[in-house]
Amino acid sequence: MKSSMISHTLAAVLILGMIGTVFASSTGMSPSKKGVGDALSTKEYSPYVGRDFPTQVFWGDTHLHTAVSVDAGTMCRVGQEEAFRFARGEEVTTTHGLRVKLSRPLDFLVVSDHAEMYGLMPQLLKGDQQVLSTEKGQRWYEMLQSGDYDKTFAAAMEIVASLSEDEPPIKSERAVKNAWNSYTALADKYNEPGRFTALIGYEWTAIGGYNLHRNVIFRGDSTTANRTVPFSQYDSKNPEDLWAELQRFEQQTGAEVLAIPHNGNLSNGRMFNVETFGGKPLTRELAELRSRYEPLVEVTQIKGDGEAHPLLSPDDEFADFDTWDRSNLNGTEAKEESMLQWEYAREALKTGLKLEDSLGINPFRFGMIGSSDAHTAFAAVEEENFFGKHSGVEPEPQRWKHVVIEAPDPQFTIYGWQQAAGGYAAIWARENTREALFDAMMRKETYATTGSRMLVRFFGGWDFEDSDTLSRLPADIGYRKGVPMGADLRNAPSGTAAPSFLVAALKDPYSGNLDRIQIIKGWLDSDGMTREKVYDVVWSGERTPDEKGQLPAVGNTVDVKNATWTNSIGAPELIGVWTDPDFDPAERAFYYARVLEIPTPRWTAYEAKRFGVEMDSEVPMTVQERAYTSPIWYAP
């Protein structure tokens, strides 16, 4: 083998030498750098010179809790530093002693511990006398130190319930400030521009059972973030007050900050409704504040998927995915069908078109990301490496049927198998720095995945054509001829029939092949009604849509018993150009891409194989991972 390699190397040297000789003899010049430069008709040979658009996608989690969060800390003993180390690719130990590591490091992380009683839990567990001097502090301490799982879980549920009270059960402004300053210093320590970004943030957890939560993220470092402390629901349960506080902070400091709402599927109609917190009609001023400070929405995570619902999108065969729709977050109120339209991202995007028509501003002009909301300190959401919602349900033989969220009414209790292993945030940016990632989030050049790391590009314009799909660098054409995900279609040429879209996807090398790429369109018709339609744009294999236009399923190669699959179906990459066949230039519209993988084993299948357990028939064993891009909007 060595001699063969040497022969090839020598041959290459000889060939290169011959090329140099021929070049010199034919031009009369020696093959010097100067000679090459003189021979070129332009000063640049490299096609990458002068490129000024994002060329990399960065992967991360904007929603992760550690032992510092008052609810997570009841069962989690892993801190913020371990969370950063894990995200950077290091091997660490879980609360219950399991070794854990990511398949690939993440590029960024936001440790978003709860603002409410920030830093209290580590003090409580250490037996801090100030905390134990309170009645609840003493009782919680005894329950958490009992070693009894039922007492620990009961304490956790009681502490979570306290997050909906008007006053904190234990109050210490000094403790909050100290814990916040320690965290921001830690984030600065682990922030390494170009390699790993530790964005500073926290979670505002208002109306706990109705999930109006937001993750607040700072653009700057600790010197900026330390000019405030986390704004909590004890300051106000009204999201309008949070926006006003963020505006005040920016005006006073010159810094920048944003907020990301959770997926709204457990808000029981509150996340995307069209009224103020006080029940009055939404005003233009509040719509502007929301649009400014909430550029993104977390559309998928462990607590289910929030893109679409089958009752809202009955013609969408993929709308029923990891659906949690029986109650609110803590199971204290049953879900009614009338609530659904104010909970799901696609419906909110449609509502935004209507509000823009009446208010002149669209408060729901948001991009898409996914994140975990894990309370384990680990952003581990790949199906074969899923560590769950909280540390009380770490991997073990019976995790699939353990209680994750206990409700007063047993029919609303959430069990382990119902957890979704998702998701991640993908950000297209010029470099891996706080500033570049934050700016990309503000311009919505992002997409969500349910845990896979597939690459997705999505551009809209007026003159994309089929030949554009032949490029090995679709972004070069995409930025030159159109706008990326998160932007507005602009400068429609006179006489243009309809917008066209260039969309491309490349599989995650660790996951399944691609099934198809779809474009979802929503629009406001001439009667003031919102509409939607799902279009299959490009797909794998030789499938042909039926007479109703429906594409046959890609197939399924999953061997559930062995938790394996084959990539003998699907495609490693897909790219296509699609022109809207139903375009009306007088109607407001949005478009976003959804990319589907072929079926692969769900985390429950991996768990059943590892532990040799048989799960109930209702437990799903396969999953079609997917990505949702931020939309592109059109306005007349």
Side-chain angles (χ1 to χ4, degrees):
M1 181 65 71
K2 282 187 177 180
S3 62
S4 174
M5 291 176 65
I6 291 171
S7 298
H8 288 307
T9 303
L10 288 172
V13 169
L14 290 171
I15 291 170
L16 288 171
M18 292 172 61
I19 291 172
T21 302
V22 171
F23 179 86
S25 63
S26 64
T27 63
M29 298 183 297
S30 64
S32 66
K33 291 183 180 178
K34 182 177 185 301
V36 171
D38 292 342
L40 293 174
S41 60
T42 65
K43 292 298 183 183
E44 285 82 30
Y45 174 80
S46 171
Y48 312 116
V49 170
R51 178 179 295 170
D52 189 30
F53 57 77
T55 59
Q56 298 181 78
V57 63
F58 297 104
W59 293 97
D61 189 351
T62 63
H63 189 178
L64 182 70
H65 298 276
T66 73
V68 170
S69 282
V70 69
D71 56 350
T74 57
M75 289 179 278
C76 176
R77 298 296 178 265
V78 184
Q80 295 170 330
E81 184 156 16
E82 289 83 1
F84 283 126
R85 288 174 48 219
F86 176 77
R88 285 166 60 101
E90 293 185 39
E91 186 177 294
V92 296
T93 304
T94 72
T95 295
H96 297 290
L98 298 175
R99 300 298 287 171
V100 57
K101 185 177 181 179
L102 285 170
S103 66
R104 295 152 284 179
L106 294 176
D107 300 303
F108 67 91
L109 179 67
V110 183
V111 174
S112 58
D113 283 311
H114 292 293
E116 290 67 33
M117 296 180 284
Y118 194 95
L120 166 74
M121 195 50 59
Q123 283 187 297
L124 175 62
L125 294 172
K126 289 177 182 176
D128 182 271
Q129 290 305 306
Q130 182 182 3
V131 175
L132 297 189
S133 66
T134 65
E135 182 271 330
K136 285 189 176 179
Q138 181 66 40
R139 182 158 54 82
W140 288 345
Y141 177 77
E142 292 173 356
M143 294 172 73
L144 294 172
Q145 296 294 337
S146 67
D148 184 308
Y149 175 82
D150 291 336
K151 288 184 178 180
T152 299
F153 190 79
M157 293 298 100
E158 190 175 323
I159 291 171
V160 169
S162 75
L163 297 179
S164 297
E165 297 174 2
D166 294 329
E167 295 292 332
I170 302 172
K171 186 175 182 179
S172 175
E173 294 179 2
R174 174 182 58 82
V176 169
K177 182 66 174 177
N178 290 343
W180 177 247
N181 289 352
S182 295
Y183 159 62
T184 61
L186 193 66
D188 283 356
K189 172 185 173 182
Y190 279 93
N191 187 65
E192 188 177 346
R195 180 191 172 197
F196 180 82
T197 295
L199 289 157
I200 293 172
Y202 66 85
E203 180 178 330
W204 175 77
T205 314
I207 314 295
Y210 297 99
N211 210 38
L212 287 181
H213 312 171
R214 268 84 170 168
N215 292 315
V216 175
I217 300 174
F218 295 81
R219 187 176 189 266
D221 60 14
S222 61
T223 59
T224 298
N226 287 348
R227 297 179 70 177
T228 187
V229 292
F231 186 83
S232 83
Q233 70 103 20
Y234 299 124
D235 296 307
S236 175
K237 298 178 182 180
N238 185 342
E240 299 151 28
D241 291 336
L242 173 66
W243 305 331
E245 171 62 20
L246 299 182
Q247 184 182 53
R248 181 201 64 76
F249 173 78
E250 286 194 339
Q251 291 172 346
Q252 288 187 356
T253 66
E256 293 181 72
V257 65
L258 60 82
I260 303 176
H262 284 34
N263 55 333
N265 61 322
L266 298 176
S267 69
N268 272 23
R270 288 165 170 80
M271 182 58 80
F272 302 117
N273 64 26
V274 294
E275 295 181 338
T276 67
F277 188 76
K280 296 180 179 179
L282 189 66
T283 65
R284 179 185 174 90
E285 179 185 23
L286 287 177
E288 288 176 338
L289 274 178
R290 183 164 191 163
S291 178
R292 162 61 185 84
Y293 289 105
E294 297 188 354
L296 303 175
V297 163
E298 179 187 283
V299 74
T300 191
Q301 58 138 284
I302 290 173
K303 299 197 303 293
D305 193 82
E307 183 235 354
H309 190 280
L311 290 180
L312 301 172
S313 303
D315 296 328
D316 182 356
E317 62 182 308
F318 296 104
D320 192 7
F321 177 72
D322 278 326
T323 304
W324 287 30
D325 63 355
R326 294 186 300 166
S327 70
N328 61 345
L329 175 59
N330 60 7
T332 56
E333 180 182 88
K335 185 83 67 186
E336 297 177 7
E337 287 187 11
S338 60
M339 300 172 178
L340 296 173
Q341 64 178 314
W342 314 119
E343 297 187 356
Y344 286 83
R346 187 187 302 176
E347 201 67 22
L349 290 167
K350 289 158 59 179
T351 300
L353 299 178
K354 206 166 188 176
L355 289 172
E356 186 172 15
D357 210 43
S358 60
L359 297 176
I361 188 77
N362 182 351
F364 302 138
R365 191 185 178 283
F366 53 74
M368 311 272 205
I369 63 161
S371 281
S372 70
D373 195 12
H375 283 54
T376 59
F378 304 124
V381 299
E382 292 169 310
E383 302 291 336
E384 81 281 13
N385 196 37
F386 178 52
F387 274 74
K389 170 66 177 173
H390 60 70
S391 295
V393 285
E394 285 192 3
E396 58 88 32
Q398 301 307 314
R399 171 166 69 145
W400 68 277
K401 59 182 179 181
H402 280 179
V403 170
V404 177
I405 300 175
E406 186 173 34
D409 186 335
Q411 68 171 318
F412 300 140
T413 290
I414 300 296
Y415 295 93
W417 65 267
Q418 294 170 284
Q419 298 172 98
Y424 280 139
I427 300 178
W428 284 104
R430 290 172 174 81
E431 58 185 7
N432 189 9
T433 63
R434 283 170 167 166
E435 297 77 13
L437 295 184
F438 186 96
D439 293 347
M441 287 191 282
M442 288 300 297
R443 66 175 182 265
K444 310 173 183 66
E445 203 162 351
T446 65
Y447 60 97
T449 81
T450 55
S452 169
R453 299 196 201 183
M454 65 182 87
L455 299 186
V456 183
R457 285 288 202 183
F458 182 50
F459 296 95
W462 301 100
D463 57 354
F464 286 116
E465 52 195 3
D466 289 342
S467 61
D468 293 334
T469 64
L470 302 178
S471 169
R472 297 309 304 160
L473 187 62
D476 187 54
I477 294 173
Y479 286 103
R480 181 158 37 88
K481 296 176 68 172
V483 297
M485 60 183 81
D488 292 305
L489 282 170
R490 56 180 183 268
N491 303 327
S494 59
T496 298
S500 54
F501 298 86
L502 175 65
V503 60
L506 184 68
K507 76 178 292 293
D508 178 345
Y510 284 40
S511 193
N513 276 345
L514 304 177
D515 169 7
R516 68 187 76 188
I517 301 176
Q518 300 175 310
I519 288 179
I520 289 87
K521 177 188 177 182
W523 71 97
L524 185 67
D525 70 16
S526 58
D527 295 324
M529 301 295 291
T530 57
R531 308 289 185 187
E532 69 172 65
K533 190 170 182 179
V534 179
Y535 301 86
D536 290 309
V537 173
V538 58
W539 53 87
S540 63
E542 302 300 323
R543 293 172 285 169
T544 303
D546 62 21
E547 63 278 2
K548 295 181 179 179
Q550 188 166 3
L551 187 68
V554 68
N556 190 337
T557 67
V558 176
D559 176 353
V560 173
K561 181 180 178 181
N562 293 301
T564 60
W565 82 99
T566 65
N567 275 326
S568 56
I569 59 174
E573 63 176 353
L574 294 171
I575 183 169
V577 166
W578 175 80
T579 300
D580 182 0
D582 305 307
F583 181 67
D584 185 332
E587 296 175 342
R588 298 183 186 277
F590 64 81
Y591 305 82
Y592 68 90
R594 180 171 65 187
V595 185
L596 295 160
E597 289 185 2
I598 65 171
T600 50
R602 191 173 183 264
W603 72 266
T604 43
Y606 287 108
E607 199 111 319
K609 180 179 185 299
R610 280 194 185 108
F611 296 120
V613 298
E614 185 174 340
M615 300 182 186
D616 293 344
S617 59
E618 65 179 335
V619 179
M621 290 292 171
T622 63
V623 63
Q624 274 194 272
E625 303 280 11
R626 55 201 63 196
Y628 312 118
T629 73
S630 293
I632 294 172
W633 287 265
Y634 165 79

